[in-house]
Amino acid sequence: MKKKLYLITILLFVASALNAQAFRLSKPSLIDNNRTYSGLSGNAVTQIESHGDSILWFATGGGLSRSSDFGQTFVSYYPIPDSIPKGGISSIATLDSIIWIAGVFDSTTEIGSYQTGGGLAFSKDFGLNWTFVPQPIDSVGNKNEKYEY
């Protein structure tokens, strides 16, 4: 009886592992000249935003992804200069054909690791073309003050 239970457990494990392989995350090829690649950009999804009748945008820890078939397939965007922010996407907003995204990445300093703004980007044509907006940075003379809630 224990042997049957053991074999059933092994078969279930193998079947679930094979199923997981079908939805593996894709990573871009470094020799590819395209601005997009197939697959979901990361497995940590921070926001899903619907856009129009059939487009879903996915903000992930690995970048920005889009699905035009309700999550059956994904297209992800390279973080190209003057296009999409590097790092993860922390927020998405859409209106008509316009989409705005905010980028974020980890930054290590002398006093610890912090989330750092990676800039913004917007598209006026459902994500076909992007414009990058650099992250605003305080000037040297600005003081940092701690605010308590």
Side-chain angles (χ1 to χ4, degrees):
M1 183 66 174
K2 285 184 179 183
K3 200 173 207 179
K4 281 186 180 181
L5 184 59
Y6 178 73
L7 287 175
I8 290 172
T9 304
I10 295 294
L11 287 174
L12 287 173
F13 177 78
V14 169
S16 66
L18 289 174
N19 189 31
Q21 294 297 318
F23 193 68
R24 184 184 300 214
L25 298 175
S26 290
K27 288 298 173 194
S29 167
L30 294 177
I31 60 173
D32 193 353
N33 291 328
N34 294 327
R35 292 181 163 262
T36 61
Y37 59 97
S38 297
L40 190 62
S41 60
N43 62 358
V45 177
T46 57
Q47 183 179 352
I48 301 172
E49 184 75 23
S50 63
H51 197 189
D53 291 335
S54 63
I55 299 173
L56 294 174
W57 292 99
F58 293 80
T60 77
L64 179 68
S65 297
R66 174 182 50 100
S67 177
S68 298
D69 55 12
F70 301 104
Q72 296 298 310
T73 60
F74 297 92
V75 172
S76 296
Y77 293 81
Y78 285 114
I80 296 174
D82 299 325
S83 180
I84 301 291
K86 69 177 182 175
I89 303 300
S90 61
S91 186
I92 303 173
T94 62
L95 177 66
D96 299 327
S97 64
I98 302 169
I99 178 170
W100 277 89
I101 59 172
V104 65
F105 59 93
D106 290 333
S107 182
T108 303
T109 69
E110 292 176 357
I111 56 175
S113 182
Y114 295 96
Q115 293 283 309
T116 303
L120 305 168
F122 67 90
S123 171
K124 296 179 181 179
D125 54 10
F126 291 99
L128 293 176
N129 297 292
W130 291 90
T131 301
F132 181 73
V133 179
Q135 180 70 28
I137 299 175
D138 292 336
S139 65
V140 176
N142 285 358
K143 294 189 315 182
N144 292 329
E145 295 190 29
K146 185 176 181 180
Y147 292 95
E148 299 291 330
Y149 291 88

